[in-house]
């Protein structure tokens, strides 16, 4: 029945669209990590959209998708979607002849792994630079207070103060950024800049001559945080101009780049994959083990740096489940190639040693399911 309904929906949508572009509403902030990722994709596909704050319509949106998080997408038939990864994959059904997922199964898995790393690991340094540095914090708190909270009947200075306190306390102090981890958090940003710069010297996009879901994933942190916030943007301009250029290229991709070739040999991605294994997969493993034990906090050691009292994320257990499902769906030859590329430290992608079940979206209905926050109450405590 669900399949029949989906087919009917696609048929109705094509009838509504005809030859015009799809018009959608994106509920999110102009400086939002994941909203930037989604907007980049919509621009690439030529889908017209209007961006709005979700909070004036918070009750309706929460009833529709389960929780308020940026972005929420409203289709032109009124359907609501949330969570950018499944949103992109859902919208891709309209573009089967020119997908953002590589045909080769190994490269496709790598693209999805890079996207997940961009979504979940780079979040911490992105929030750190935004809320730990005075100049960035003062600028962004004003933007968010004016853009998202103008409907609240309270003085502007109070709205600004409220934003600063919530964001810095929740996403910096309570997410493991301390005097002991500060340098490692920032090194993660420098590492990805160097790794991307090396790749972009050889081709215009990460996995070939056209963008993949890996590129769109990295636009989350690179566009709205690292590329715009004063401190990380200066670092990017000074040390990684090729990445700065790539951000602009992704935001305005000419039609000539909608056709192109995929990379077939992932050898030159080895260092990037190693960084992902050492950081993102290490965090997913520690988080999953803590969730399975019923813990609310966990500690982990990443590249020699110890993080303590990190908030356990049920959603990130789900992220690991999706990666494991994608790996399990591969043929034996592709699995073998990836095991060699990623190494033994990545065994949580194929081993049963890390056993945790999120019990989230069991029907795999995303982006139309009842969503949950990355952290239980939306902000780490």
């Amino acid at each position: 029945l669900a399949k029949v309904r989906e087919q009917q929906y696609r048929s109705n949508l094509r009838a509504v669209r005809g030859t015009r572009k799809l018009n959608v509403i994106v509920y999110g902030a102009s400086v939002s990590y994941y909203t930037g990722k989604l907007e980049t994709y919509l621009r690439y596909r030529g889908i017209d959209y209007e961006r709005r704050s979700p909070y004036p319509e918070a009750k309706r949106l929460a009833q529709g998708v389960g929780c308020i998080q940026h972005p929420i997408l409203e289709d032109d038939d009124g359907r609501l979607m949330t969570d950018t990864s499944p949103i992109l994959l859902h919208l891709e059904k309209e573009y089967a002849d020119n997908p953002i997922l590589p045909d080769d199964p190994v490269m496709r898995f790598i693209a999805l792994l890079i996207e997940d790393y961009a979504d979940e690991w780079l979040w911490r340094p992105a929030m750190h630079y935004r809320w730990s540095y005075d100049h960035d914090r003062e600028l962004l708190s004003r933007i968010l207070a004016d853009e998202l909270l103008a409907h609240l009947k309270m003085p502007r200075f109070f709205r600004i103060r409220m934003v600063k306190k919530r964001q810095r306390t929740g996403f910096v102090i309570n997410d493991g950024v301390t005097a002991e981890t500060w340098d490692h958090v920032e090194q993660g940003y420098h590492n990805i800049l160097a790794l991307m710069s090396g790749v972009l010297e050889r081709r215009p996009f990460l996995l070939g001559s056209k963008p993949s879901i890996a590129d769109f994933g990295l636009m989350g942190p690179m566009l709205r945080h690292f590329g715009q916030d004063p401190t990380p943007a200066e670092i990017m301009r000074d040390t990684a101009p090729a990445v700065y250029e790539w951000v602009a290229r992704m935001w305005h991709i000419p039609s000539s780049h909608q056709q192109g070739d995929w990379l077939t040999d992932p050898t030159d991605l080895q260092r990037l994959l190693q960084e992902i294994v050492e950081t993102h997969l290490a965090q997913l493993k520690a988080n999953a083990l803590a969730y399975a034990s019923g813990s609310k906090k966990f500690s982990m050691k990443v590249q020699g740096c110890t993080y303590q009292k990190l908030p356990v994320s049920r959603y990130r257990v789900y992220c690991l489940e999706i990666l494991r499902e994608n790996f399990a769906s591969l043929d034996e030859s592709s699995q073998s190639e990836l095991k060699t590329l990623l190494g033994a430290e990545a065994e949580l992608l194929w081993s049963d040693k890390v056993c945790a079940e999120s019990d989230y979206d069991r029907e795999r209905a995303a982006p139309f399911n009842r969503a949950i926050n990355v952290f239980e109450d939306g902000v780490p405590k």
Side-chain angles (χ1 to χ4, degrees):
L1 181 60
K3 188 174 182 180
V4 171
R5 287 176 176 171
E6 175 66 18
Q7 290 173 343
Q8 183 63 49
Y9 165 69
R10 303 315 309 177
S11 176
N12 291 342
L13 181 59
R14 282 190 289 270
V16 170
R17 288 178 66 181
T19 58
R20 70 175 176 81
K21 296 178 181 178
L22 176 65
N23 292 296
V24 300
I25 301 171
V26 175
Y27 294 95
S30 66
V31 292
S32 159
Y33 195 106
Y34 300 107
T35 304
K37 171 186 174 183
L38 177 59
E39 286 186 76
T40 303
Y41 175 83
L42 295 177
R43 289 170 60 89
Y44 174 64
R45 290 305 190 194
I47 299 174
D48 291 338
Y49 67 92
E50 176 188 354
R51 189 179 61 240
R52 298 179 187 173
S53 167
Y55 297 109
E57 300 184 59
K59 184 176 180 180
R60 178 180 73 88
L61 295 174
Q63 288 175 342
V65 298
C67 63
I68 298 297
Q69 53 187 354
H70 297 231
I72 295 169
L73 182 70
E74 184 169 5
D75 213 336
D76 64 351
D77 67 348
R79 296 183 89 189
L80 295 171
M81 305 176 226
T82 188
D83 194 339
T84 53
S85 296
I87 287 175
L88 264 59
L89 294 177
H90 173 75
L91 294 176
E92 275 295 284
K93 295 174 183 178
E94 290 289 302
Y95 304 98
D97 58 336
N98 182 29
I100 60 171
L101 285 171
D103 299 326
D104 179 80
V106 170
M107 296 308 302
R108 183 168 61 249
F109 183 84
I110 288 173
L112 292 168
L113 179 60
I114 294 172
E115 184 212 18
D116 203 59
Y117 156 81
D119 280 353
E120 305 303 327
W121 176 257
L122 292 179
W123 171 261
R124 185 177 292 111
M127 298 302 278
H128 159 66
Y129 276 109
R130 176 167 288 186
W131 301 111
S132 294
Y133 285 88
D134 289 343
H135 191 188
D136 305 66
R137 184 168 61 247
E138 293 300 323
L139 173 63
L140 273 298
S141 61
R142 282 159 172 75
I143 291 173
L144 289 172
D146 291 343
E147 188 174 315
L148 299 181
L149 304 181
H151 64 289
L152 297 180
K153 295 180 179 179
M154 60 177 65
R156 182 173 183 260
F157 79 88
F158 192 82
R159 286 186 277 119
I160 292 170
R161 183 193 303 172
M162 184 171 66
V163 169
K164 284 192 286 190
K165 182 177 181 180
R166 177 187 186 272
Q167 299 301 95
R168 185 166 184 268
T169 301
F171 294 112
V172 179
I173 297 171
N174 291 345
D175 195 30
V177 181
T178 65
E180 291 72 31
T181 63
W182 184 291
D183 288 346
H184 184 259
V185 171
E186 295 195 350
Q187 189 60 49
Y189 175 47
H190 288 276
N191 287 351
I192 187 58
L193 286 181
L195 292 165
M196 287 183 67
S197 294
V199 170
L200 294 171
E201 287 176 359
R202 296 184 288 274
R203 50 186 176 270
F205 303 100
L206 287 179
L207 302 185
S209 57
K210 61 180 178 178
S212 72
I213 198 167
D215 295 275
F216 291 105
L218 281 163
M219 277 293 278
M222 292 296 171
L223 173 65
R224 291 285 163 75
H225 281 252
F226 297 144
Q228 290 186 180
D229 293 358
T231 300
E234 182 177 7
I235 293 170
M236 185 188 293
R237 289 193 301 269
D238 290 348
T239 68
V243 178
Y244 204 65
E245 180 185 32
W246 167 87
V247 170
R249 184 160 58 247
M250 284 294 296
W251 189 243
H252 184 61
I253 303 173
S255 58
S256 60
H257 279 304
Q258 295 209 15
Q259 300 292 334
D261 299 319
W262 296 117
L263 185 69
T264 56
D265 181 2
T267 303
D268 73 349
L269 296 171
Q270 188 75 54
R271 290 181 57 211
L272 173 57
L273 294 175
Q274 188 61 35
E275 174 75 7
I276 293 172
V277 170
E278 292 177 359
T279 58
H280 177 50
L281 292 190
Q283 177 170 263
L284 287 185
K285 179 179 180 179
N287 178 76
L289 291 172
Y291 184 81
S293 71
S295 301
K296 296 294 184 181
K297 298 282 185 178
F298 71 98
S299 299
M300 64 178 183
K301 193 169 187 177
V302 177
Q303 296 175 326
C305 180
T306 300
Y307 290 78
Q308 297 180 332
K309 297 181 179 179
L310 296 173
V312 171
S313 169
R314 177 187 175 198
Y315 178 80
R316 287 177 178 161
V317 176
Y318 165 75
C319 291
L320 178 56
E321 289 173 352
I322 296 299
L323 286 173
R324 286 169 60 90
E325 288 174 12
N326 285 328
F327 187 89
S329 71
L330 299 173
D331 60 84
E332 187 175 341
S333 175
S334 297
Q335 289 186 3
S336 178
E337 184 176 349
L338 282 165
K339 287 179 181 180
T340 300
L341 275 170
L342 299 174
E345 289 182 88
E347 68 172 351
L348 76 161
L349 295 174
W350 55 81
S351 169
D352 292 330
K353 292 180 181 178
V354 181
C355 295
E357 294 185 7
S358 70
D359 202 32
Y360 169 63
D361 191 27
R362 297 182 67 177
E363 295 78 18
R364 297 298 184 252
F368 299 107
N369 62 321
R370 300 288 294 175
I372 60 173
N373 291 303
V374 174
F375 302 105
E376 186 173 353
D377 297 318
V379 180
K381 291 181 172 60

